[in-house]
Structures are given as structure tokens and as C-alpha cells.
Amino acid sequence: MESISKISSMLETARDLTIEAAQSTGSSRSFSSRAAVRDLPFLQVKKLLDSRNDREILEGLRKVISMMYRVKPCLPFFSSVVKNVASPNIEIKKLVYIYLLHYAESEPDLALLSINTIQKSLSDQNPQVRAMALRVMSGIKVPVISQIVALGIKKGSGDMSPHVRKAAALAIPKCYWLSTSTLPQLLEYLMTLLGDKQYYVVGSAVTAFLEICPDRIDLIHKHYRGLVRKLVDMDEWGQLATLRLLTIYARKCFPPRTRKVKKTKSTGFYEDEENEDEDDATTEEIKVLDPDLDLFLKSCKPLLYSRNSAVITAVVRCYLHLGSPEYLDSAVGPSIALLRSPQDIKQVVLHNIISLCMARPQSFVQYANHFFIHTIDPPHTWRLKLEMLTLLFPYCESQMKGLILSELEHFTKASGSQLVRECVHAIGRCAQNDSKTSSRCLNLLLKLVSSSDGNLVAESLTVIRHLIQQDPASHTKTVIKLAKHLDTMTNPSARATIVWLVGESAGVNDEEDIAPDVLRILAKGFADESEPAKLQIVLLAAKVYIHHLNKMHAITNTKDPREGINSQIDVTATLQNDEGGFREDVMQEPTTPSLPQHPIEILWQYILLLARYDVSYDLRDRARLYRALLSDPGSTQLASLLLLAPKPVPHTPSPSEGRKDLLIGTASLVVGEQAGLSGLSGYENLPDWVKDGEEPDPKLRDEIDVKAAYSSTQNAPAGDMLDSALRERGDKFPARAINKDKTLDDWLAEGEGGNEESEESTEEEETDESEEEESEEESDDENTNEDDRLVNS
């Protein structure tokens, strides 16, 4: 019978294995073919969940979890699933816990029925089960169980397994969200976990600290150096949280200090040149780091070679906002290496590099060739690369500057209009940032003016205008060269720009003043010009006329400012009956005999007459304004102040200039100005540096050196340890130090006395043994007598 039962059990086992193999094969085929999953009927799934066979229960749970993640109603299975929470099978427990976390909030009453079973799992022998039970208990979002969860965290924080302690650390924020009243006891558990010896427990504890009490920096003092030592061994998530915490801690606890150091210039070869006057020596301020801050920055260096780009960015942020320039220089290479990342990471890295370059551009000069544009770069990438090249341009050598300008010139001939426009603007920023190469950049832009692309010409002229405004007197010939292109140029914006430049250079140099001739030529085709060009022609006519009035006023220098000027008009009477600013009597010839009109005056009146009958409202209003300003030739101060006022020199900042105060590695830095003044929701800037004298006592960061105390006692001689132990017990036993003055006879006498005592002790022991033997014999006799009595009875 036994053999038959064994055979039947073996066959049953083989059958189960065959079924499982067939199911796994079928599931793999279904995943490979991506066929649609067919759901079982409700009663059949419930039958599997209520089965006593673990294999069938596991199959039913898999069906339920599959339905749950396909957003199908699985709540009717709640009671059947939750009753399997006490199963000893760990796979079943995992699936039950997943289901419980998903539906516990919608069915809190039924979820509370499983709390007792989950609490019992906290005492399971398997640490994985204990950690999973704690994770599930804290994940049930029912505020009633907050105290039970707190007790589970207390038990888990003292567990022997580090995995359970890590689960306890991650459960602390969840318990705090259930009930804020548990904060005092949670802080106690958190302090225990922050001092844990396992680095992956500490990383989770730091994450919990940042979520429940990020402002309690006073709790970090005694754990600071321990966190710094464990930083290298933590996982990536723990490293990110610890770097963020220690950066905030450094800002609040280490005041910035500087020290002045003499910086002498390079001296000559001979000694007499070295002993010259000390006026050549200059002083510079260098940053002095606190020893604990320096310890933190040094421990971050190995993280620059992490496989996680977020960790490298966090270290660079620490060096940028905490460290000295030397530390920042060491972070440049790893930041450049991140440019080999995918496109989404590459965009964030480029924004970070631009922020670093604004702080210390000299460190990136040797990596300038990494920012040349590739044909496969998307627009957001080549925009950032162009900005980076313009930032590095002033600090590069002449050879690299020529290479950068050649690169920009090449891409001005590209097919994309956006790329062409950005390259032209980049050339302008290069000329603006480096005055030594501004003439070369200007010549490069002048070549683009003769291009057939109207947009390229317009953008080039805008940049040229900005460069000319920086020093108008030295660019008179440039304006003459641009004016020659008016015969062939057709772009309205480009023509308007050239006319404006001619008007600005009208009174700079009388010998090379081409403004009247340009105005005469433009007046012939005024009707065919575009509206922007017409507005600039009217402005040019006003500027030429006011310069003429100022010259005539300087020549005559008489009391009657109207003398020598053929414009004797009663301004008051004219303005009273103006009828819109244009009356027929304004253009009538004066009745009094006068000198012949100057050609500029005739040209001015002709331009006003053309503007009077134009279809553009703006042009007519502008001409009426200029006519009213210049109606009194003797009073040109207001007109000069309005039209000939010095223009501010335009400065084109870098596109990322408004982002330099944002933290690198944040979404607000990538979004930029669209994120608002305070950044995106959730953005937090670093706190200000603590003032000198207000920082906490450095002794608070001292650790209790238990190892040193243990080693001092461990290395003590055995005799000294024995003497100290005897002294603690009292004077019953003489110490070795007291017996140092004894003679040999005393030692021998003590030895004989010791022998006699030993003989007496042996005799006493023998008598005790004999008494014990007699007592044993008596007990044996009594036992035999009792046995005889029982037999007789």
C-alpha cells in the first residue's frame, strides 16, 4: 500500500510540473505574439481563489492582478483575495499585498480585517516577509491605523535585518501623512535610523527626513560626518537626497570666509629686477573652506564618475554653490562627458553647462570643439551650442576664434531660416563680447548684405546697426558702403534699417555727410516705397532739415533767428487755424521779398507734401508731428532734443542671462522665463549663507569615539587590567603594586603557607566527597525499600 501511495504522489507531482510547464510555455508564447488576454468567468476565478491548492490560488491571483492593471472591476474579489494574506507562500503574499494596496482605500473596513495578520508577519523569520509587511501596512491609507503603523516602524527600526530597517525608514513619511500627530515619535525613530551603520538604510532615512522635517537641521549635527563617510556607498537615490540635504546644511552652518593673498607679477631674470618696488604686488581674495565643508566636498569627488547623470549634476551643483574654483574646475570634465547622453538628457546638460560657463568660462575653453553643430542636432540643441560658443569666444585663442567664426559663417548659408538667423545673432554677440575681433565680425556680416535671401540681409543689417551704434564716428565709411546697396535692395526692413543709419550719421562728419543726397534719391521713388521705409525717409528728412537749421543759426548768430531763412510764417496764427496740420497757405510763397530757398528746405517741404497725401495714417500723423516741431526755425531746441538725442548703445545679452540664478539640474532652468519669477511649482532655491558668528558650534558635529576608547583598553597590558579589576573589587586581594617590595624569603614563606592551605583544602574536599557518597547510599536504600513496598502491595 505504501508503495502504491508513493507512486500516486509521484504521478501527481509530475502532473503538476507538466501543467506548470505548459502554462509557462503558453504564457511566453502569448507574450511573444502579444495576443489578447482572455478573462476567466467570475465564478471560475473565485473558485481558484477559494481553492486549497497553492498553485490554483496563485493562478487566480495572477488573473485578478492582470484584470486590475487593465482597469477592470476587481473589487468583488476583495474578500476572497484578502483571506489568503495568511498563506505561508511568499508569492501568494506578494500578490495579495499588491491587491490590498490598490483597493484598501476604497474598502477600509475590509482592509482593517487583515491588519492583525500583517502585524503577525512583522515577527516572521523571513526578513523579506517582515519588510514587505511593514511596507504594506504603511501603504494602507486609513488614518485609523496610524498608531499601529508607528508601532510597526518602531519594531522595524530595531530589526536585525537592514532590509527591514530600510522599509521602516521609507514607511516614516507615509505614517506622517496618515497623521501629523505622530511626528514626535517618528523623529525619534528617524534619529535612530540616521545613525545606522548600513549605508542603504541611511539613504532612505535621509529621504524620509527631507519629506517630514527638512528644516530641522539641528538633528543632523551629530550625524553629519557619518553621512559624509557613507555618501560614496549609497545607492543613487540615497546619494541625491544626501547631497541635497548636506548642501542645505552647509549653507546654514558654514559661513563664507575669504582671505587676502598677495599676488605678485612675474619678475625678470635678474635679481635686481626682482628687488624693485613692491607696487607691482596686488592682493586677491581667495575662498577659505571650513574643514567639515572641505571633507564633504572631497567625499563628493568619486561621485563625479557615477553612472547616473543626476548624481553628477548634483555634485556639480554642490561645487558651484559651495566650493572653490578648484573644485568647480574638477567638475567640468564629467559635465562635458554627459554630452554623449540621449537627446532629452543632453538638453538638460547643455543648460547646466551654460550656467556653469557664466560662472567660470575659462574652464570650458579647452572643450570649445565639443559645441560645434552637427547636422543631426535638433533645434533646441544647436541653439544652446551657439550660445555656448558665443560665451567662450572672448576667452579663446585667436586660432579657435577663427574656427568659431568660420563655423558660424558656414551655417549662415544653411537651408533653415531659423539656423541662419541664430548664426547671424551669434556673430553679433561675438563682436559685442570681444572688441578686438569686432571689425572681423562686421566684415563677415557685410558680406551677407549682398545675399539674395531677404531675411538673411534683414537680420544682418539689424546686427550691423547694433555694432555701428557702439562707435558711430568710426563707422562712417561703413554707412556709405551700406547706402550703396539701396539701389538693389528690396527687403522693406533692410531698406528701413539703412535709411535709419544714414540719418544717425547725418551730423557726425560734414565732409562725408551723404544724408542730403540719399534723401534726394529716395524722394524720387517715395511713392513706391513700403510703409516702414517711408517712415524712416520722413525721419531722415526731419534730421537733415534740423541740421540745416542749426548750421544757419550758428552762421547768422543774430537776434532775429528768422533772418536768412525763407520761412517767415506766423506760427501762432497757423496753429490756431491749422485744419489738421495742413493748410494751403502753409505752402504758399511768402509775400515779402526774400533770398532764394535752400535746396534742403525745398526737399523738406516736398517730403511733407508727399506724406500729406499718403494712404497710411501713421505716416501722415508722423509728418504732422515733425512739421509742428520744426514750424519755428528759430526754436529748434525741442526738436533737437527729440530727434538728435544720443541713443543708448544696444546690448544683446545671452539668451540664458535670465536663468543664471536658477539651480542647475532643475526643470525651472530648462523652462526658463516661462516658469515665472519664482520658477515652477515645487521649485526651492538654496537658502542664504549663514552670517559669520551666527553659525552653530562646530563641537556639535563631534562624534563619540567608541572605537578609540575600546582600543585603548584593548591594548593595555594584562597585568594592569588585572590590577584595576582587583582595585574595583576592594582590598580583599592585594594588588601587584603593593607586593613590589617583598623579599625572596617572604615569597617562599607565602608559598609554604599556600601549600599548607592547599593540603587542608584537599582534606576538606575528601571528607565532603565521602559524606556525599554516604548520602547517596542511604538514598538508594530508601528507594529499594519503597520498591519492595509497592511490589508487596
Side-chain angles (χ1 to χ4, degrees):
M1 294 296 293
E2 293 180 359
S3 60
I4 294 173
S5 62
K6 288 182 180 179
I7 292 171
S8 62
S9 64
M10 291 172 64
L11 291 174
E12 185 69 22
T13 305
R15 175 178 172 276
D16 293 341
L17 292 175
T18 305
I19 292 174
E20 289 181 1
Q23 288 177 350
S24 62
T25 306
S27 62
S28 62
R29 287 179 181 175
S30 64
F31 279 118
S32 61
S33 61
R34 294 185 180 180
V37 181
R38 187 177 62 180
D39 295 331
L40 294 177
F42 174 78
L43 294 177
Q44 190 173 352
V45 175
K46 188 171 179 59
K47 183 179 178 181
L48 290 174
L49 295 174
D50 295 337
S51 176
R52 295 184 178 181
N53 191 350
D54 288 349
R55 183 177 57 81
E56 294 180 356
I57 296 174
L58 195 59
E59 181 67 21
L61 287 172
R62 287 172 180 169
K63 294 293 182 182
V64 172
I65 299 299
S66 175
M67 294 169 60
M68 183 180 70
Y69 281 106
R70 283 185 285 122
V71 198
K72 293 197 174 182
C74 298
L75 199 57
F77 302 109
F78 195 91
S79 58
S80 300
V81 172
V82 172
K83 71 179 182 180
N84 292 311
V85 72
S87 175
N89 192 334
I90 190 171
E91 296 296 331
I92 294 178
K93 278 193 174 185
K94 287 181 181 179
L95 296 178
V96 173
Y97 286 160
I98 292 172
Y99 181 88
L100 193 61
L101 287 176
H102 193 271
Y103 286 107
E105 192 171 1
S106 57
E107 291 290 337
D109 296 334
L110 293 177
L112 290 176
L113 297 177
S114 61
I115 291 296
N116 292 331
T117 307
I118 297 175
Q119 275 187 297
K120 292 179 182 179
S121 299
L122 294 175
S123 303
D124 196 275
Q125 293 181 356
N126 191 347
Q128 187 177 2
V129 175
R130 298 198 300 270
M132 190 165 49
L134 185 57
R135 192 177 301 117
V136 172
M137 185 187 296
S138 60
I140 298 176
K141 299 178 181 179
V142 180
V144 181
I145 63 170
S146 59
Q147 293 298 330
I148 299 176
V149 176
L151 292 175
I153 294 172
K154 180 181 180 181
K155 188 174 182 180
S157 60
D159 198 279
M160 295 295 294
S161 174
H163 298 286
V164 182
R165 297 199 298 272
K166 181 179 180 180
L170 294 175
I172 288 177
K174 300 176 184 178
C175 183
Y176 177 71
W177 295 334
L178 290 177
S179 177
T180 56
S181 61
T182 58
L183 181 60
Q185 50 186 331
L186 291 179
L187 288 178
E188 183 180 353
Y189 309 149
L190 186 59
M191 293 301 295
T192 304
L193 294 171
L194 284 173
D196 200 282
K197 295 181 179 179
Q198 294 293 335
Y199 50 86
Y200 46 87
V201 177
V202 176
S204 303
V206 171
T207 305
F209 179 87
L210 289 174
E211 291 190 16
I212 66 172
C213 55
D215 298 330
R216 293 292 304 274
I217 299 297
D218 55 315
L219 303 178
I220 305 298
H221 292 315
K222 61 180 179 180
H223 301 294
Y224 173 79
R225 293 172 185 170
L227 292 175
V228 170
R229 287 194 300 268
K230 299 183 184 77
L231 179 61
V232 181
D233 298 324
M234 293 181 185
D235 60 302
E236 286 85 355
W237 294 105
Q239 287 172 350
L240 290 174
T242 307
L243 287 170
R244 179 186 169 192
L245 173 62
L246 294 182
T247 303
I248 297 173
Y249 181 88
R251 282 280 192 143
K252 292 185 177 181
C253 298
F254 303 124
R257 294 187 177 94
T258 56
R259 183 179 59 188
K260 290 186 178 181
V261 179
K262 287 187 177 181
K263 182 180 179 181
T264 57
K265 296 182 180 180
S266 58
T267 56
F269 177 76
Y270 298 102
E271 293 182 358
D272 55 352
E273 294 181 2
E274 295 180 1
N275 295 327
E276 290 179 353
D277 192 9
E278 296 182 356
D279 293 338
D280 295 335
T282 57
T283 60
E284 63 173 353
E285 289 187 354
I286 61 173
K287 195 171 183 179
V288 180
L289 300 178
D290 189 273
D292 285 331
L293 178 58
D294 193 34
L295 176 66
F296 167 53
L297 296 176
K298 287 180 179 177
S299 67
C300 292
K301 275 193 175 182
L303 301 183
L304 290 172
Y305 306 98
S306 173
R307 61 183 179 180
N308 194 321
S309 57
V311 175
I312 298 176
T313 304
V315 175
V316 174
R317 186 192 305 133
C318 293
Y319 285 171
L320 175 63
H321 297 288
L322 301 179
S324 58
E326 291 76 14
Y327 282 106
L328 190 58
D329 292 342
S330 63
V332 171
S335 300
I336 296 295
L338 292 177
L339 291 175
R340 296 190 290 267
S341 305
Q343 287 294 338
D344 53 348
I345 300 177
K346 189 175 182 179
Q347 181 183 4
V348 181
V349 170
L350 283 171
H351 280 290
N352 297 338
I353 290 176
I354 289 174
S355 296
L356 291 175
C357 187
M358 289 181 178
R360 190 168 176 80
Q362 299 88 347
S363 304
F364 290 89
V365 172
Q366 56 180 334
Y367 303 104
N369 54 356
H370 288 76
F371 302 101
F372 289 153
I373 301 175
H374 302 286
T375 54
I376 60 174
D377 287 338
H380 61 266
T381 300
W382 53 252
R383 280 193 185 94
L384 296 173
K385 285 187 174 182
L386 287 175
E387 182 180 359
M388 191 67 190
L389 289 175
T390 57
L391 291 174
L392 295 177
F393 185 80
Y395 304 94
C396 294
E397 297 179 355
S398 58
Q399 182 180 1
M400 181 56 69
K401 289 180 180 179
L403 191 60
I404 292 174
L405 290 178
S406 300
E407 181 84 3
L408 297 176
E409 183 182 7
H410 170 73
F411 282 101
T412 53
K413 303 174 184 177
S415 57
S417 59
Q418 294 181 356
L419 180 59
V420 171
R421 182 170 60 252
E422 292 296 332
C423 287
V424 172
H425 291 169
I427 294 174
R429 290 199 300 272
C430 289
Q432 175 183 286
N433 297 334
D434 187 15
S435 59
K436 297 180 181 179
T437 58
S438 59
S439 59
R440 182 177 178 181
C441 296
L442 184 59
N443 293 330
L444 182 60
L445 292 171
L446 289 174
K447 293 179 182 178
L448 302 177
V449 173
S450 59
S451 175
S452 58
D453 188 357
N455 295 326
L456 175 60
V457 173
E459 294 293 338
S460 302
L461 284 173
T462 302
V463 177
I464 290 172
R465 175 172 62 85
H466 292 169
L467 296 178
I468 291 176
Q469 282 185 263
Q470 294 180 1
D471 189 9
S474 60
H475 291 94
T476 307
K477 294 182 179 180
T478 305
V479 175
I480 296 174
K481 188 182 297 184
L482 290 174
K484 294 179 181 179
H485 288 84
L486 286 173
D487 297 334
T488 58
M489 194 170 295
T490 58
N491 187 277
S493 177
R495 293 181 66 85
T497 302
I498 294 177
V499 173
W500 185 87
L501 288 173
V502 172
E504 285 296 309
S505 62
V508 176
N509 191 353
D510 295 338
E511 296 178 358
E512 298 180 354
D513 190 5
I514 61 171
D517 291 335
V518 172
L519 180 62
R520 177 180 57 82
I521 296 172
L522 292 174
K524 296 178 181 179
F526 184 84
D528 299 329
E529 295 285 350
S530 62
E531 183 177 352
K534 288 179 181 179
L535 290 171
Q536 295 301 325
I537 291 173
V538 173
L539 178 61
L540 174 62
K543 290 180 180 179
V544 171
Y545 184 59
I546 196 173
H547 281 299
H548 170 69
L549 293 180
N550 290 335
K551 289 178 184 177
M552 296 302 295
H553 181 70
I555 291 173
T556 57
N557 197 16
T558 58
K559 293 183 180 180
D560 186 6
R562 303 183 185 183
E563 185 178 352
I565 302 175
N566 187 21
S567 182
Q568 303 193 6
I569 303 172
D570 190 356
V571 179
T572 306
T574 303
L575 292 178
Q576 287 177 355
N577 300 315
D578 197 4
E579 295 183 0
F582 291 105
R583 282 180 56 91
E584 295 296 334
D585 57 350
V586 174
M587 297 299 175
Q588 290 179 357
E589 301 249 347
T591 56
T592 58
S594 59
L595 296 175
Q597 283 186 325
H598 195 277
I600 292 180
E601 299 175 10
I602 300 174
L603 193 58
W604 165 244
Q605 294 176 3
Y606 178 67
I607 293 295
L608 289 178
L609 189 62
L610 291 174
R612 175 183 179 183
Y613 296 103
D614 196 87
V615 296
S616 174
Y617 291 98
D618 293 338
L619 183 62
R620 296 201 300 267
D621 293 342
R622 190 76 58 88
R624 187 179 296 110
L625 172 65
Y626 295 154
R627 177 188 172 278
L629 285 172
L630 300 173
S631 58
D632 186 4
S635 176
T636 60
Q637 293 181 358
L638 181 60
S640 299
L641 184 63
L642 181 63
L643 300 178
L644 303 181
K647 309 299 186 298
V649 178
H651 176 75
T652 307
S654 181
S656 299
E657 189 71 25
R659 311 182 187 185
K660 62 181 181 180
D661 295 331
L662 298 174
L663 290 178
I664 65 173
T666 58
S668 298
L669 179 65
V670 179
V671 175
E673 297 178 355
Q674 299 177 1
L677 297 176
S678 58
L680 296 174
S681 177
Y683 173 79
E684 294 181 2
N685 205 349
L686 290 177
D688 297 332
W689 287 98
V690 64
K691 295 182 180 179
D692 196 3
E694 298 180 1
E695 71 277 9
D697 190 1
K699 294 181 180 179
L700 295 174
R701 292 186 288 272
D702 293 341
E703 296 177 321
I704 301 175
D705 199 355
V706 181
K707 293 183 178 179
Y710 174 73
S711 61
S712 63
T713 57
Q714 186 181 17
N715 298 329
D720 295 343
M721 295 174 67
L722 181 59
D723 291 342
S724 61
L726 291 174
R727 290 192 188 94
E728 291 177 359
R729 294 184 61 181
D731 298 333
K732 294 181 180 179
F733 300 93
R736 187 179 64 173
I738 303 173
N739 298 331
K740 286 183 179 180
D741 298 333
K742 288 186 177 181
T743 61
L744 182 59
D745 296 335
D746 297 335
W747 284 108
L748 292 174
E750 287 184 1
E752 292 177 357
N755 292 332
E756 292 176 357
E757 291 177 358
S758 62
E759 291 176 358
E760 293 177 357
S761 62
T762 52
E763 291 178 357
E764 292 177 356
E765 289 176 358
E766 290 177 357
T767 54
D768 293 338
E769 290 177 359
S770 60
E771 291 177 356
E772 289 178 358
E773 291 177 356
E774 291 177 357
S775 62
E776 289 177 358
E777 290 176 357
E778 291 177 356
S779 62
D780 292 338
D781 293 340
E782 291 177 355
N783 291 333
T784 52
N785 294 331
E786 290 178 357
D787 294 337
D788 294 339
R789 292 173 185 173
L790 291 171
V791 172
N792 293 330
S793 61

